[in-house]
Amino acid sequence: MHSPLFLLLLQVALIVALSRLMGLLFARLRQPQVIGEMIAGIMLGPSVLGAALPAVQGWLFPSDSIALLNTLSQFGVVFFLFLIGLELDPKLLTSRGRSAMAVSAASIALPFALGVAVGVWLIDAGVFGAAAKANPLASALFMGAAMSITAFPVLARILAERNMHATDVGTVAIACAAMNDVAAWVILAFVAAVATAAGPGTALRTAGFAAGYVAVMLLLVRPFLGRLRLVYDRQDRLPHGVLAVIFLLVLLSAFAAEAIGIHAMFGAFVAGFIMPKAGTFVRSLTEKLEDFTVVLLLPIFFAYAGLRTKLGLLGADPRMWAYAAVVITAACVGKFGGTALAARAARTPWRE
Amino acid sequence: MHSPLFLLLLQVALIVALSRLMGLLFARLRQPQVIGEMIAGIMLGPSVLGAALPAVQGWLFPSDSIALLNTLSQFGVVFFLFLIGLELDPKLLTSRGRSAMAVSAASIALPFALGVAVGVWLIDAGVFGAAAKANPLASALFMGAAMSITAFPVLARILAERNMHATDVGTVAIACAAMNDVAAWVILAFVAAVATAAGPGTALRTAGFAAGYVAVMLLLVRPFLGRLRLVYDRQDRLPHGVLAVIFLLVLLSAFAAEAIGIHAMFGAFVAGFIMPKAGTFVRSLTEKLEDFTVVLLLPIFFAYAGLRTKLGLLGADPRMWAYAAVVITAACVGKFGGTALAARAARTPWRE
């Protein structure tokens, strides 16, 4: 009876309101606002609202409407990562390039090794079921890849919240995360290839296409964008035509990345990264996109993560909770340890 | 195999690119850009691309992805109408109020009468099939209502394109269209009630709720919004918290309107209309929302109209084309005639 728009308006209103409230609460507790937003999602999802009032939760978030919410939230996160890429200054990056590379390599290697180890142990314990025992290599690699992937948008959001994303530290962190995650997606493609016995060719193709795509963006598209800035400099404002070209670039770059098999959000990030940085161009573009994206669309993305989470799946079995604790600990140790050691080796001060 | 995001990115990129191109072409021909955007939709839809390359069209726009595109486009049009309401200055309206009322009444009465007449004739000719003959009153009223509804977003877009929406004429035109369309939706509710034999109670309830909703917005919500402006004036910028409240207002107002049975876009329009107008508040809010809405989301809405249009449905039968011509002529005569006569009677110069 209700149109999809009817439900969507109500869902987005609920998410924006509750995310804001929880965000404020967490900001007061000096925790990242984004954690509050994810908790807002868990509250609206099956774990809290669904457990307390299943009929209300089922009416508010029927499963087919969830798919729509998911697509809308990814659409928003694409523009968010464009903005993050946009504010990243390549000059800060080249001077720090070497340390970033080292940090990146270590922050992916240690969690990956730990993930594989935990994976082997969990498979032995039978947590993944019989199917995983049949193909232990794929399952262990999957755990490794899952642990190496930074929640790239979460990191970007925390840094943006604290206005650190335009600083040296923030730039290195985001550049590391971007490199990491592309590597992790390539590993995942490799895992998928092992699991489906398609051979490593698929993974190599993904890596090859990804490299080719980045080369095209840097060498062909970037010089063209310099001209857009000339139009902007001449008129001192962003006409709708130029904006349409920029939107088109974001959409097509995200589409290309998604088609290659690395996530659409990296395409958007790269599109932002290659934008001309000088002058007020970046600032006026950011002003035009930031609020719609960050205040309206982004909370949907983070809440969506919570909306899908079924804490109840862990169930009453204490062993499952113990396994979850081991996985989380291994993930934290891998991330912090690997990153800190590598950064130390590159003589970055501890505090950063 | 492809995620919905994959298709959506490609679809939106195609729509934005083609709409922009057709818009530029039509602007050069001194026609409203929005007509170009609708033609872009027809080109991508079943009438042109679907006729030439049915496989490509079916791959690009499968029917389930169309529903997603529709919801996204309506989401965009909600924010567009918020912006239109935002830029409408109530002061211009009260001084012109009486002439607007007269224009509105006439511009709905004449098309309605003509629509009913054409409806009766078409029913006699059997164009609507046997079902319509069984319930001629409902069918005739439906034609009347269909002819009285202005394409509100199309009007707003044409006026905004020409920067006329903040002038006296534009204000009267938009206010008329808004009143008209609410009246027409109430008539449609009445028609639906007649058709389903639910009795006129439903229509009265819709009208009553609509009146109550507008009263709540004007008398309760509006004074509260004055405080938001005070926050803005103190800080001279729009903090994210204030923006979140404004987004929430737009979403909930649109939701309420949709729930009542008048379209969500009127809720958004009313939310914009009751915003505080003084100072730079309106301008900085507009700047933050306009480009994302107008350049990215709005073309989807207009293209969507074209995407659904199946010109081929009119078929090879010349009589159907003749009927279509009669309907279009009656619609034009009704609209122009009714509006012009009423405005003349209110001593508005012809040119307007």
Side-chain angles (χ1 to χ4, degrees):
Chain A
M1 171 194 157
H2 296 307
S3 67
L5 181 66
F6 175 88
L7 263 187
L8 184 68
L9 290 168
L10 188 59
Q11 289 168 341
V12 175
L14 273 174
I15 289 172
V16 168
L18 198 58
S19 298
R20 208 29 54 188
L21 279 180
M22 296 306 292
L24 280 179
L25 188 70
F26 272 71
R28 188 146 298 179
L29 298 173
R30 293 174 172 276
Q31 294 298 313
Q33 208 175 317
V34 62
I35 310 290
E37 292 174 353
M38 286 193 271
I39 288 180
I42 294 181
M43 288 169 67
L44 290 172
S47 305
V48 178
L49 182 63
L53 301 164
V56 173
Q57 213 273 336
W59 184 84
L60 271 176
F61 297 98
S63 50
D64 51 338
S65 81
I66 290 280
L68 176 66
L69 217 47
N70 181 21
T71 309
L72 186 65
S73 77
Q74 292 191 297
F75 200 74
V77 102
V78 159
F79 282 93
F80 177 61
L81 282 168
F82 170 69
L83 288 175
I84 294 290
L86 186 65
E87 295 192 15
L88 202 63
D89 192 342
K91 283 190 213 108
L92 284 180
L93 201 60
T94 38
S95 61
R96 292 262 186 158
R98 283 185 61 201
S99 68
M101 293 295 248
V103 172
S104 180
S107 72
I108 199 165
L110 192 59
F112 187 75
L114 270 173
V116 171
V118 172
V120 168
W121 173 66
L122 287 177
I123 293 160
D124 263 1
V127 176
F128 286 168
K133 278 205 176 170
N135 198 344
L137 179 60
S139 305
L141 285 177
F142 172 76
M143 278 301 290
M147 286 215 182
S148 344
I149 291 184
T150 324
F152 187 41
V154 175
L155 173 73
R157 178 92 168 93
I158 293 178
L159 290 174
E161 232 174 60
R162 313 222 148 154
N163 277 322
M164 281 175 67
H165 57 310
T167 64
D168 289 18
V169 187
T171 304
V172 172
I174 288 182
C176 286
M179 276 188 283
N180 261 6
D181 277 20
V182 169
W185 287 108
V186 171
I187 294 175
L188 265 185
F190 182 71
V191 171
V194 170
T196 58
T202 320
L204 283 179
R205 209 163 55 212
T206 300
F209 274 131
Y213 156 75
V214 171
V216 167
M217 292 298 277
L218 285 178
L219 302 178
L220 293 181
V221 180
R222 193 179 195 170
F224 163 75
L225 291 174
R227 296 209 195 156
L228 281 189
R229 222 202 73 207
L230 292 183
V231 173
Y232 170 77
D233 283 348
R234 210 160 42 225
Q235 309 201 357
D236 205 33
R237 61 189 198 88
L238 279 169
H240 280 178
V242 172
L243 266 170
V245 172
I246 292 173
F247 280 135
L248 214 56
L249 174 78
V250 176
L251 293 167
L252 288 178
S253 179
F255 170 74
E258 183 86 16
I260 288 170
I262 51 187
H263 195 281
M265 55 175 95
F266 294 102
F269 174 75
V270 170
F273 183 69
I274 63 169
M275 281 280 156
K277 306 285 166 169
T280 52
F281 181 77
V282 167
R283 200 167 51 211
S284 68
L285 191 54
T286 304
E287 265 174 18
K288 283 182 181 305
L289 299 183
E290 192 186 18
D291 294 296
F292 203 89
T293 308
V294 172
V295 180
L296 186 72
L297 299 178
L298 204 56
I300 307 177
F301 179 77
F302 292 114
Y304 178 75
L307 265 174
R308 275 182 323 180
T309 306
K310 291 189 184 165
L311 289 178
L313 268 192
L314 286 174
D317 185 348
R319 275 191 311 166
M320 289 307 270
W321 286 93
Y323 289 137
V326 170
V327 170
I328 292 168
T329 311
C332 293
V333 170
K335 269 291 165 208
F336 279 114
T339 314
L341 286 177
R344 188 67 228 166
R347 274 163 240 197
T348 310
W350 274 115
R351 212 180 85 83
E352 294 188 359
Chain B
M1 165 185 167
H2 296 306
S3 66
L5 181 67
F6 174 89
L7 263 186
L8 184 69
L9 289 169
L10 189 60
Q11 289 167 343
V12 175
L14 273 174
I15 289 173
V16 168
L18 198 58
S19 297
R20 211 18 66 186
L21 279 180
M22 296 306 292
L24 280 180
L25 189 71
F26 272 71
R28 187 146 298 180
L29 298 173
R30 295 171 172 275
Q31 294 298 312
Q33 210 175 313
V34 62
I35 308 291
E37 292 174 352
M38 287 194 272
I39 287 179
I42 294 181
M43 286 167 68
L44 291 172
S47 305
V48 178
L49 181 63
L53 303 163
V56 174
Q57 213 273 337
W59 184 84
L60 271 175
F61 297 97
S63 50
D64 50 340
S65 80
I66 289 280
L68 176 68
L69 217 49
N70 181 21
T71 309
L72 186 66
S73 77
Q74 291 190 299
F75 200 74
V77 101
V78 159
F79 283 93
F80 176 62
L81 281 168
F82 170 71
L83 288 175
I84 294 289
L86 186 65
E87 296 193 15
L88 203 63
D89 190 343
K91 284 190 210 111
L92 285 178
L93 200 62
T94 40
S95 63
R96 292 261 185 160
R98 284 184 61 201
S99 69
M101 294 293 249
V103 172
S104 179
S107 72
I108 199 165
L110 192 58
F112 187 76
L114 270 173
V116 171
V118 172
V120 168
W121 173 66
L122 287 178
I123 294 161
D124 263 1
V127 176
F128 286 168
K133 279 204 174 171
N135 198 344
L137 178 60
S139 307
L141 284 177
F142 171 77
M143 279 301 291
M147 285 215 181
S148 348
I149 291 183
T150 324
F152 188 39
V154 175
L155 173 72
R157 178 92 168 93
I158 292 177
L159 290 174
E161 230 173 63
R162 313 222 149 155
N163 276 321
M164 281 174 69
H165 57 312
T167 63
D168 290 17
V169 188
T171 306
V172 173
I174 287 180
C176 287
M179 277 188 282
N180 261 6
D181 276 18
V182 170
W185 287 107
V186 170
I187 294 175
L188 266 186
F190 182 72
V191 172
V194 169
T196 59
T202 319
L204 284 179
R205 211 163 54 213
T206 300
F209 275 131
Y213 156 75
V214 171
V216 166
M217 292 297 277
L218 285 178
L219 302 178
L220 294 180
V221 181
R222 193 179 195 171
F224 163 76
L225 290 174
R227 297 208 196 157
L228 282 189
R229 221 202 73 207
L230 292 183
V231 174
Y232 171 76
D233 283 348
R234 212 160 41 224
Q235 310 200 356
D236 205 35
R237 60 188 198 90
L238 278 170
H240 280 178
V242 171
L243 265 171
V245 171
I246 293 173
F247 280 135
L248 213 57
L249 174 79
V250 176
L251 293 167
L252 289 178
S253 179
F255 170 74
E258 183 86 16
I260 288 169
I262 52 188
H263 194 279
M265 57 174 93
F266 294 102
F269 175 74
V270 170
F273 183 68
I274 64 169
M275 281 281 156
K277 305 286 166 169
T280 52
F281 181 77
V282 167
R283 201 168 47 211
S284 68
L285 191 54
T286 304
E287 267 174 16
K288 283 180 181 307
L289 298 183
E290 193 186 16
D291 294 297
F292 203 88
T293 309
V294 172
V295 180
L296 186 73
L297 299 177
L298 204 56
I300 308 176
F301 179 78
F302 292 115
Y304 179 74
L307 266 174
R308 277 182 321 179
T309 306
K310 292 189 182 164
L311 289 178
L313 269 193
L314 286 174
D317 185 349
R319 273 190 313 166
M320 290 306 272
W321 286 92
Y323 289 137
V326 169
V327 170
I328 291 169
T329 309
C332 293
V333 169
K335 270 292 166 209
F336 279 115
T339 314
L341 286 177
R344 189 67 229 168
R347 272 162 243 194
T348 311
W350 274 115
R351 214 180 83 83
E352 294 186 2

